[in-house]
Amino acid sequence: MERFEGADRRPLPEPTVARLPLYLRVALESVRLGHPTISSEVLARLAGVNAAKVRKDLSLLGSLGTRGTGYDAAQLARALDELLGAGHDWPVVLVGVGRLGRALINAQGFLTGGYRLVGLVDADPTVLGELIDGHRIMRFDELALELEIAPAIGVITTPAMAAQRAAEDLVALGARSILNFAPTVLEVPADVRVRYVDLSIELQILSYHAARSHDADDASPYSTVGIEPAGAQPAAWLDRAP
Amino acid sequence: MERFEGADRRPLPEPTVARLPLYLRVALESVRLGHPTISSEVLARLAGVNAAKVRKDLSLLGSLGTRGTGYDAAQLARALDELLGAGHDWPVVLVGVGRLGRALINAQGFLTGGYRLVGLVDADPTVLGELIDGHRIMRFDELALELEIAPAIGVITTPAMAAQRAAEDLVALGARSILNFAPTVLEVPADVRVRYVDLSIELQILSYHAARSHDADDASPYSTVGIEPAGAQPAAWLDRAP
DNA sequence: CCGTGTGAAATCCTTCACAGCA
DNA sequence: TGCTGTGAAGGATTTCACACGG
């Protein structure tokens, strides 16, 4: 196996890291549709960014492209896959098996790939013992006894009130990464990484802009994609590409 | 009513906008716990950012603080609330009433506040007609006839395959903001704002970092909060504050 | 004296533009 | 010729540090 760690030892900019999964998705789609190579321009369109950014991002991983041709989709996908931690089969523990938690467990595409659910935790006595997707819902202390290895990632889908406690329990279990769906800022040790998925915040950001979108507002680039005036599906774009 | 639009006409930086809902949440909590004022430092801790950023952000909205004292929590909350579109009661249409969609509809904190569900759309004939939260699931064309006003925000919780079509239908209904949970980049007109909540991408970002967290890594500030080595709940922090 | 508000500096990210290679 | 890889320029955001007002 090759090394795809960019030429230098410098860590990738975080915005770049956040775009790599998009590039991976597009590269896989390109392969699936039988397009062996893909240019930065097409890749950019399908990922909702611009071509310069794609080239800069990918150049940070090394020289993955071929001048005059583009990127080999399969090779690019392999490189991104490895970089993003494929082959590790990350153990995931989910805390808070309410509606949202159950939706995530069953959502295809969420825990697929290199992630494996290894534990379900809830404090509610009425759901304890329930079997979901082959996993029994238990209390934290029970899971701690049963688990052989530390979970790499903890997912918190509890109410806000319970989230901080859940985070501390997850950290105690050895989790170094947390994906938090509860509307609270977590206080964790500095070596624990937290990402927030805060639905009410997303709505508030949208309504902030909606409240001041006097006609042709300047569409800022953040999380906004103003590609083509609707119409073609991404797949169509790929097929139109040479 | 007062105007809280910063002194100038310059739009707020997007990262600032994304933090305002956090400040609002903290300000409300401060009021709830009986702390009439809050300093940028405490606010920063509870929002998981640093104090300089808080002051810079809030100064962009005008002079909301009092030197030597801090910010009046209630007044700050009102200012942020108004800025973020409170009092508008934004109509929301949700497309894709599967597990995730249902979880969101029922999730407290998601559609609370100024957001009102006005329609549920799904293509699956087996769920059509079903009543959820007082709303009947229908096809897009049915909803179009029934709706008097355009939805401000569309939420997409369909499978990836159906998301682009859902976006186009939402835009046709008049939605100018879309919150997309499907793992696809949407192509929409430039004046439509899209925010992406992509769960598999979140996991991949976390595992990217997990794969290279050789012991004491440098914790980057992005979406990461390295406040206190666990322990106190935010509420405790507020109570400890003078 | 304390904590906000804010220019200025520093840092980070994006975009440009083109040299260079297939 | 076509498209990548990349230094350099340009913008945007964060951080600093301190003057100012309560």
Side-chain angles (χ1 to χ4, degrees):
Chain A
M1 269 292 133
E2 312 149 66
R3 287 281 102 215
F4 290 115
E5 267 285 73
D8 34 351
R9 214 41 45 205
R10 190 172 317 295
L12 298 179
E14 193 64 19
T16 295
V17 173
R19 285 188 293 266
L20 297 185
L22 283 175
Y23 302 155
L24 172 57
R25 184 180 293 162
V26 173
L28 289 173
E29 187 71 355
S30 180
V31 171
R32 203 176 64 74
L33 293 175
H35 295 278
T37 66
I38 187 169
S39 70
S40 63
E41 195 157 345
V42 172
L43 183 35
R45 258 181 200 286
L46 297 176
V49 302
N50 67 20
K53 216 172 329 200
V54 169
R55 289 202 299 278
K56 177 68 83 179
D57 285 342
L58 295 185
S59 78
L60 295 175
L61 316 185
S63 279
L64 299 172
T66 308
R67 290 163 202 242
T69 307
Y71 300 87
D72 180 293
Q75 179 185 322
L76 177 60
R78 258 184 290 116
L80 291 171
D81 215 5
E82 173 171 334
L83 205 59
L84 293 172
H88 273 76
D89 230 57
W90 304 97
V92 175
V93 166
L94 185 142
V95 188
V97 194
R99 252 182 284 250
L100 179 58
R102 287 159 202 258
L104 291 183
I105 294 165
N106 290 289
Q108 62 171 80
F110 181 55
L111 284 176
T112 54
Y115 309 95
R116 191 163 36 88
L117 190 64
V118 298
L120 292 177
V121 173
D122 206 302
D124 181 357
T126 69
V127 303
L128 284 178
E130 198 179 326
L131 260 183
I132 293 188
D133 201 36
H135 294 272
R136 196 161 54 81
I137 302 176
M138 52 186 87
R139 293 197 317 271
F140 243 114
D141 51 333
E142 300 178 86
L143 181 65
L145 293 176
E146 193 166 289
L147 228 49
E148 304 109 9
I149 52 166
I153 301 176
V155 177
I156 297 179
T157 47
T158 65
M161 279 290 300
Q164 177 61 35
R165 179 62 198 278
E168 287 161 23
D169 287 341
L170 283 169
V171 169
L173 266 190
R176 289 299 184 83
S177 298
I178 291 179
L179 184 53
N180 180 31
F181 289 83
T184 327
V185 173
L186 299 178
E187 305 188 358
V188 297
D191 66 334
V192 175
R193 201 168 287 266
V194 180
R195 286 192 67 87
Y196 294 91
V197 176
D198 196 314
L199 308 175
S200 71
I201 285 184
E202 295 300 325
L203 284 184
Q204 290 179 73
I205 295 172
L206 283 175
S207 62
Y208 167 84
H209 291 295
R212 67 222 71 231
S213 75
H214 315 298
D215 53 34
D217 211 338
D218 57 328
S220 104
Y222 284 88
S223 286
T224 299
V225 184
I227 309 175
E228 288 244 295
Q233 297 238 356
W237 252 105
L238 256 182
D239 281 333
R240 229 183 290 149
Chain B
M1 270 290 134
E2 310 151 65
R3 284 285 102 213
F4 289 115
E5 267 286 70
D8 34 353
R9 210 45 43 205
R10 190 173 318 294
L12 298 179
E14 193 64 20
T16 295
V17 172
R19 286 187 293 266
L20 297 184
L22 283 174
Y23 302 155
L24 172 56
R25 184 180 292 162
V26 173
L28 288 173
E29 187 72 356
S30 181
V31 170
R32 203 176 65 74
L33 293 176
H35 294 279
T37 66
I38 187 168
S39 70
S40 63
E41 195 157 343
V42 172
L43 184 34
R45 260 183 198 284
L46 297 176
V49 301
N50 67 20
K53 215 172 329 201
V54 169
R55 289 203 299 278
K56 177 68 84 176
D57 285 341
L58 295 184
S59 78
L60 295 175
L61 316 184
S63 279
L64 298 172
T66 307
R67 289 165 202 241
T69 307
Y71 300 88
D72 180 293
Q75 180 184 321
L76 177 60
R78 260 185 288 116
L80 291 170
D81 214 7
E82 173 171 335
L83 206 59
L84 292 172
H88 273 76
D89 230 58
W90 304 97
V92 174
V93 166
L94 185 140
V95 189
V97 194
R99 253 182 283 249
L100 180 57
R102 286 161 203 257
L104 292 183
I105 293 165
N106 290 289
Q108 62 172 75
F110 180 56
L111 284 175
T112 55
Y115 309 94
R116 191 163 37 88
L117 190 64
V118 298
L120 292 176
V121 173
D122 206 303
D124 181 357
T126 69
V127 302
L128 285 178
E130 198 180 323
L131 261 183
I132 292 188
D133 200 35
H135 294 273
R136 196 162 53 81
I137 303 176
M138 54 184 87
R139 293 197 317 272
F140 243 115
D141 51 332
E142 299 177 89
L143 181 64
L145 294 176
E146 193 167 288
L147 229 48
E148 304 108 9
I149 51 167
I153 301 176
V155 177
I156 298 179
T157 46
T158 65
M161 279 291 300
Q164 177 62 36
R165 178 61 199 278
E168 287 161 24
D169 287 340
L170 283 169
V171 169
L173 266 190
R176 288 286 122 115
S177 298
I178 292 179
L179 184 53
N180 180 31
F181 289 83
T184 327
V185 173
L186 299 178
E187 306 189 356
V188 297
D191 66 333
V192 175
R193 201 168 287 266
V194 180
R195 287 193 67 87
Y196 294 91
V197 176
D198 196 314
L199 308 175
S200 70
I201 285 184
E202 295 300 326
L203 284 184
Q204 290 178 74
I205 295 173
L206 283 175
S207 61
Y208 167 85
H209 291 295
R212 75 232 47 241
S213 76
H214 314 297
D215 54 32
D217 211 339
D218 56 329
S220 103
Y222 284 88
S223 286
T224 299
V225 184
I227 310 177
E228 287 245 293
Q233 298 239 355
W237 251 105
L238 256 181
D239 281 333
R240 229 181 292 151

